[in-house]
């Protein structure tokens, strides 16, 4: 527990326990540690997640915007792509070195729909039906926050949250919502799934959750 503050010591194991209790009931093994994962653990807070492909995937952007929009996979693929390589750090302790993520800047999507005055935050929802995340508008506009179509230089696999996941480079990996289906501009920050259990909303790696990990981005 060296280096953990009170908050981290109290909250850190909670995610681990919850994930384990979910995975042990998961007959698909989807959320379990799979071989060939390249150091990643596959996490899901639900037992099974529907598969979405280019044929039926959609991403809706709504809330406090001028032009609500629904994007298909091909729409996102047609936009300018950015590739970033950083370490990945989970708040439970595991870290994966230099991992490429590639996709559309969230900032570009926000510009397309036109953020209205009054919006200060972004809420993310997922087609697993349960997981949520959030960012402030300033965080969401960062260059290293991607609506990610590729991970490890291949299309984001179903297990990793494909076809589209969020990637928030400088924050703990729980901010990087998998199976992304909705982006909603909100008047205030609405804490995400794990944040209701005590994890920090501002989840900067090494500067939150009572942890002192080396920064990732
Ligand atoms: N929809 C969804 N997104 C999620 C999670 C989840 O359970 N469901 N877990 C988070 C956590 S805690 C981590 S560490 C990463 C794990 O990503 P991976 O499964 O690709 O390794 O996804 C994050 N995004
Ligand atoms: Mo995590």
């Amino acid at each position: 527990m060296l280096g953990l503050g009170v908050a981290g010591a109290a909250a850190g194991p909670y995610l681990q326990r919850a994930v384990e209790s979910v995975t042990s009931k998961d007959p698909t093994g989807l959320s379990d540690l799979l071989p060939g994962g390249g150091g990643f653990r596959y996490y899901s807070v639900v037992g099974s997640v529907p598969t979405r492909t280019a044929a039926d995937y959609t991403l809706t952007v709504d809330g406090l915007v001028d032009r609500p929009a629904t994007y298909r996979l091909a729409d996102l693929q047609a936009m300018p792509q950015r590739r970033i390589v950083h370490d990945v750090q989970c708040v439970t302790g595991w870290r994966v070195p230099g991992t490429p993520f590639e996709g559309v800047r969230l900032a570009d999507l926000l510009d397309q729909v036109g953020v209205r005055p009054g919006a200060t935050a972004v809420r993310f929802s997922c087609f697993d039906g349960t997981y949520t995340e959030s960012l402030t508008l300033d965080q969401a506009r960062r260059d290293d926050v991607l609506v990610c179509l590729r991970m490890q230089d291949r299309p984001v696999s179903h297990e990793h949250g494909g076809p589209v996941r969020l990637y928030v480079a400088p924050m703990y990996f729980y901010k990087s919502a998998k199976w992304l289906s909705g982006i909603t501009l909100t008047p205030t920050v609405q804490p995400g799934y794990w944040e209701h259990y005590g994890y920090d909303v501002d989840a900067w790696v090494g500067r939150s959750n009572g942890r002192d990990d080396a920064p990732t981005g």
Side-chain angles (χ1 to χ4, degrees), residues 15 19 43 89-92 94 131 172-175 194:
L15 192 152
V19 166
Y43 279 4
Q89 178 75 52
C90 173
V91 73
T92 61
W94 55 272
Y131 203 78
Y172 285 102
F173 207 28
Y174 62 83
K175 300 300 285 192
W194 283 118

Side-chain angles (χ1 to χ4, degrees), residues 1-140:
M1 301 308 278
L2 204 67
L4 281 185
V6 172
Y14 196 94
L15 192 152
Q16 196 70 62
R17 274 203 308 278
V19 166
E20 280 164 5
S21 74
V22 167
T23 57
S24 62
K25 282 182 288 173
D26 176 14
T28 68
L30 171 71
S31 50
D32 213 337
L33 176 56
L34 302 181
F40 283 91
R41 286 153 211 220
Y42 298 110
Y43 279 4
S44 177
V45 297
V46 301
S48 85
V49 179
T51 300
R52 297 266 168 91
T53 67
D56 57 4
Y57 175 78
T58 57
L59 173 64
T60 301
V61 188
D62 60 13
L64 295 171
V65 300
D66 292 327
R67 297 170 294 277
T70 297
Y71 295 84
R72 303 176 64 89
L73 197 56
D75 301 325
L76 297 172
Q77 284 163 341
M79 293 179 67
Q81 308 288 306
R82 174 171 160 83
R83 182 176 178 274
I84 323 180
V85 183
H86 290 300
D87 291 0
V88 161
Q89 178 75 52
C90 173
V91 73
T92 61
W94 55 272
R95 188 177 181 105
V96 182
T99 304
F101 288 85
E102 190 173 339
V104 177
R105 286 181 191 81
L106 179 55
D108 288 350
L109 281 177
L110 297 180
D111 286 346
Q112 277 200 356
V113 297
V115 175
R116 285 198 187 159
T120 74
V122 182
R123 180 165 58 84
F124 303 95
S125 47
C126 305
F127 63 80
D128 64 12
T130 301
Y131 203 78
T132 56
E133 254 309 334
S134 67
L135 290 173
T136 67
L137 194 51
D138 286 346
Q139 293 164 357

Side-chain angles (χ1 to χ4, degrees), residues 143-173:
D143 233 24
D144 54 2
V145 175
L146 302 181
V147 170
C148 189
L149 310 180
R150 295 172 65 81
M151 175 176 168
Q152 298 169 303
D153 288 325
R154 38 186 192 265
V156 181
S157 68
H158 176 67
E159 289 79 6
H160 280 304
V164 178
R165 79 179 296 168
L166 189 68
Y167 174 58
V168 183
M171 293 196 178
Y172 285 102
F173 207 28

